[in-house]
Amino acid sequence: MTAFLQSTFNGLVSGAFYALLALGLAVIFGMLRVVNFAHGAFYMLGAFGAYVLLAEAGVPFWVALAVVPLALALLGMALERAFIHRLTRLDPLYNFLLTFGLTLILQDLVKLRYGVQSSPYEVPAGLRGSVDFGLFDFPTYRVFILGFAVAVCVGVWWALARTRVGMVVRAATERPELTRALGINVGRWITPVFGFGIALAGLAGVLAAPMRAVNPLMGADLIIVVFAVVVIGGLGSIFGSVAAGFGIGMVQAWAEAYLSAFPIVAQTIVFIVMAAVLLWRPAGLFGRAEAPA
Amino acid sequence: MLRIENLSAWYGEAQVLRDAGLHVDPGEVVTLVGRNGAGKSTLLRCVMGLHPGWRGSVELDGTALGNLSADRRARRGLGWVPDDRGSYATLTVTENLTLPPTVGPDPWSLERVYEAFPALYQRRNSAATTLSGGEQQMLALARVLRMGARVLLCDEPTEGLAPLLVQQVGDLLREAKRHGVTVLLVEQNLRFATSVADRHYLLAEGRVTAAMENSEVRSRERELLSYLGI
Ligand SMILES: Nc1ncnc2c1ncn2[C@@H]1O[C@H](COP(=O)(O)OP(=O)(O)O)[C@@H](O)[C@H]1O
Ligand SMILES: [Mg+2]
C-alpha cells in the first residue's frame, strides 16, 4: 500500500510537468492551429534560464519562477510575429519544419555556450527536506511542484471559463471564422496566447531545474511523451490535456513499479495507452471531431 | 444601404458567382431565392468578408468594403446568421449572446432577448449546442439583434423548422424591420418569403436572373417552386 501511494505520488509529480506542457500546447493549437514542436525547447530554456540567473547573477529560484516565464513569453511573442504567424497560409508540413528547426537551433545555441553535461541546481532553501504523510515521507519540493502545478491548471481553467478573454479564446478555438464574423478581432489575441503557452512551458522548466538534470536535451526527451499525452487527451482539448497529463504520469509510475519484469512494456506504456485510446476514440479521450469553421 | 455589383466568386477553379448584383435599401427586407448550390450562401459569405476568392464590389452605406476584414464588417453593422446556425458548443447560451460587441445604435438588451425567448432563458447556462434546432435558430437571430446589427444576413433561418417556429422567425424579422433593421434573407420557403419580405431576387447559376415584387412571386408560385425543385 505504501509503495503504491508513493509511486502514485511520484506519478502525479511527473504528471504535473506533462500537464503544464500539454496545457500550453493545447491553448496554442486551439488558437493558432499550430503544433508547436519547439515546446520542449522552451521548457529547456526555462530550466536553463533559472540556472543561468542563479549561477551568473545570484538570482534566487523564486524570482526566476516569475521572471523566466515572462522573458520566454516575450521571446515566444517575438518568434510568433517574426515566423510562426506565416504558417497559417502554408501546408502543415511547414509547421513541422519551422518549429522543429527552431528546436534544433535553440538546443544548439545552449550547447554551444554550456556544453551537453548537466548543470546542478539546488533545491531552494525553504523547500528542502521532506513532508511526513504518515505512511511515507515525501520530498517537500515535490509536494510544492504538485501543489503549484495544480494551482496553475485551476487558474488557467478559471480564466478560460469565467473571464471575457477566456470566452473569446474558447470561441476562437472552436469556430475562428464565425468568431471574426461576430465582430471579434481574433488576430489580436493570437500573439498573446502563443506567448502564454510558451510561458507555461518556461514555468515547467523552472520548476524542473532543482529536480531534473538541467541540460540542452532535457526537453527533447520529455516532449515526446507530452505529445502522446496531448493525443490521448484530444488535440486542442484544454481539459483533456491536463487530465491526460496527470493520468499518464500515474500510469507510467505504476508501470515502473509493477511491470519491472517486463521492461519493454514499462518503458513504452505511454505509447501502448496512446494506441489503445486512438483505436477506441480516434479524436482522443476529450477531443471532438473537427468542428465547422 | 447594401449594394452588390458584378460579384464573382470561386472555389478554387470552380466559379459559383458570375457578376451577381443586387441592392437592399434601408429598412427593407429582401429575399434571395435559388436552387441548392446556386451560390446563395457564398454570396452572403462574400458580403461578410469570409470568402477569399472573389471579385467585384460590395458597398455598405455607400462605401466599398473592399478587403475589409470580417470583424470590421461586423463592427460596421453587418450581422451574419449562418446556415448552420453558428452555435458554440463550448459557450453557454448567455455567452453565445454576449460574445459579440454591440455595434449599432439600438442593440437589444440581454433582458429583452430573454423576455422574448423564455426557452433560452431557461437554458441560459447550458451549452448552446444542447438546444433544439429551433431554439438554436432563435439564438442566432437574437445574437445579431443583441449586437445591434443594422443589416442582417440570414441564411435559410426557417430551414427544418416546424410551422410554429417559422412563424416566430417571421415575427422576429417583422419586429426588427419595424425598428429600421435591414434584412437580406436567403429563403427557399416562398410563402414565408412573401409574408416577410418587400422584394425578391432569384439567383440561378451564380447570376441574379430576376427581381420580383411580392405579387409576382405569388402569381408565379407554381413555376418558381418547380424551378427550385421543391
Ligand atoms: N467549401 C467549398 N468548396 C468547394 N465548393 C463549394 C464549397 N462550398 C460550396 N461549394 C460549391 O459552391 C456552390 C454554391 O454553394 P452555396 O453558396 O453553398 O450554394 P447555396 O447556398 O445556394 O445552396 C455549390 O455548387 C457548392 O457545391
Ligand atoms: Mg446555402
Side-chain angles (χ1 to χ4, degrees):
Chain A
M1 186 62 191
T2 306
F4 174 75
L5 286 175
Q6 220 154 359
S7 72
T8 303
F9 215 114
N10 275 319
L12 285 171
V13 173
S14 312
F17 290 105
Y18 297 153
L20 287 175
L21 288 164
L23 181 57
L25 280 176
V27 284
I28 288 172
F29 179 78
M31 201 74 177
L32 286 81
R33 291 293 184 277
V34 164
V35 179
N36 179 29
F37 289 95
H39 217 61
F42 287 102
Y43 161 81
M44 178 272 292
L45 285 183
F48 256 94
Y51 165 75
V52 171
L53 282 179
L54 183 63
E56 294 182 9
V59 176
F61 173 80
W62 297 107
V63 178
L65 194 59
V67 169
V68 171
L70 267 177
L72 286 177
L74 292 177
L75 173 64
M77 281 161 55
L79 289 170
E80 196 280 331
R81 281 292 80 204
F83 304 113
I84 309 275
H85 82 97
R86 293 167 206 273
L87 294 173
T88 42
R89 270 161 282 128
L90 297 175
D91 186 276
L93 182 62
Y94 290 93
N95 172 178
F96 174 76
L97 290 174
L98 175 62
T99 56
F100 189 67
L102 200 55
T103 307
L104 298 179
I105 292 171
L106 293 173
Q107 275 176 6
D108 278 8
L109 284 176
V110 174
K111 258 191 229 171
L112 218 57
R113 176 83 173 72
Y114 298 97
V116 288
Q117 78 284 13
S118 296
S119 310
Y121 192 96
E122 285 218 321
V123 172
L127 298 173
R128 289 176 196 150
S130 56
V131 182
D132 184 0
F133 283 96
L135 284 174
F136 60 93
D137 286 353
F138 208 77
T140 309
Y141 187 68
R142 293 185 173 220
V143 178
F144 162 74
I145 286 183
L146 188 53
F148 194 84
V150 168
V152 169
C153 291
V154 170
V156 172
W157 173 83
W158 180 87
L160 281 169
R162 290 290 135 83
T163 66
R164 168 118 196 128
V165 174
M167 176 165 87
V168 167
V169 169
R170 273 181 287 142
T173 296
E174 186 184 337
R175 304 193 58 167
E177 188 176 73
L178 174 64
T179 306
R180 288 193 290 120
L182 291 174
I184 310 251
N185 184 349
V186 172
R188 204 178 69 189
W189 296 103
I190 284 184
T191 309
V193 165
F194 188 79
F196 179 73
I198 297 301
L200 286 176
L203 188 72
V206 177
L207 289 172
M211 201 181 118
R212 301 226 165 121
V214 178
N215 70 63
L217 293 177
M218 64 189 288
D221 302 338
L222 188 69
I223 204 66
I224 297 173
V225 177
V226 173
F227 276 114
V229 164
V230 167
V231 169
I232 290 167
L235 195 55
S237 161
I238 306 285
F239 178 77
S241 57
V242 171
F246 284 104
I248 285 300
M250 287 190 289
V251 168
Q252 247 184 343
W254 293 331
E256 261 167 50
Y258 300 105
L259 295 174
S260 49
F262 312 98
I264 291 182
V265 178
Q267 281 158 24
T268 56
I269 188 78
V270 177
F271 304 100
I272 296 172
V273 172
M274 181 175 86
V277 166
L278 286 182
L279 285 176
W280 173 46
R281 293 185 65 122
L285 291 179
F286 299 94
R288 281 174 298 117
E290 191 63 13
Chain B
M1 180 116 221
L2 179 68
R3 178 174 293 276
I4 299 170
E5 279 169 359
N6 298 321
L7 182 65
S8 299
W10 291 262
Y11 287 97
E13 299 281 287
Q15 186 168 6
V16 298
L17 292 179
R18 298 162 198 276
D19 292 326
L22 59 80
H23 67 95
V24 188
D25 292 330
E28 262 192 319
V29 177
V30 171
T31 68
L32 184 62
V33 296
R35 282 184 184 167
N36 275 331
K40 306 180 296 296
S41 298
T42 307
L43 185 137
L44 293 193
R45 295 169 61 83
C46 285
V47 174
M48 211 53 238
L50 293 171
H51 187 78
W54 66 279
R55 212 169 56 203
S57 138
V58 178
E59 281 179 14
L60 181 65
D61 303 322
T63 0
L65 295 179
N67 285 319
L68 204 66
S69 63
D71 58 288
R72 292 249 179 81
R73 290 178 193 224
R75 284 174 189 273
R76 293 225 181 147
L78 289 179
W80 186 44
V81 179
D83 49 0
D84 69 356
R85 287 155 194 173
S87 305
Y88 291 93
T90 51
L91 269 61
T92 64
V93 168
T94 300
E95 286 175 331
N96 267 269
L97 289 165
T98 56
L99 174 72
T102 54
V103 300
D106 185 21
W108 283 37
S109 66
L110 197 58
E111 291 72 34
R112 181 165 169 208
V113 169
Y114 282 149
E115 225 165 87
F117 302 105
L120 295 184
Y121 179 74
Q122 276 178 7
R123 306 289 303 281
R124 64 191 178 282
N125 293 321
S126 309
T129 42
T130 63
L131 299 175
S132 70
E135 288 165 346
Q136 289 188 44
Q137 191 61 65
M138 298 306 164
L139 180 64
L141 284 162
R143 180 166 60 194
V144 290
L145 293 173
R146 205 212 65 92
M147 281 174 81
R150 295 174 301 127
V151 180
L152 306 191
L153 307 169
C154 301
D155 203 341
E156 305 203 37
T158 61
E159 199 204 355
L161 297 191
L164 202 66
L165 287 165
V166 172
Q167 208 180 326
Q168 253 190 1
V169 172
D171 292 343
L172 198 62
L173 290 177
R174 276 184 290 266
E175 172 160 3
K177 180 183 159 76
R178 266 202 303 283
H179 286 83
V181 173
T182 305
V183 182
L184 177 57
L185 173 70
V186 168
E187 193 49 69
Q188 300 275 37
N189 179 338
L190 295 183
R191 288 267 160 82
F192 176 74
T194 51
S195 79
V196 294
D198 303 301
R199 294 188 293 119
H200 313 269
Y201 287 105
L202 182 66
L203 188 71
E205 276 135 37
R207 290 192 178 84
V208 174
T209 54
M212 295 168 286
E213 299 293 323
N214 274 326
S215 53
E216 188 179 350
V217 171
R218 288 202 190 93
S219 64
R220 290 173 60 188
E221 188 174 324
R222 280 171 155 256
E223 175 203 344
L224 286 168
L225 282 176
S226 80
Y227 170 76
L228 293 173
I230 306 168

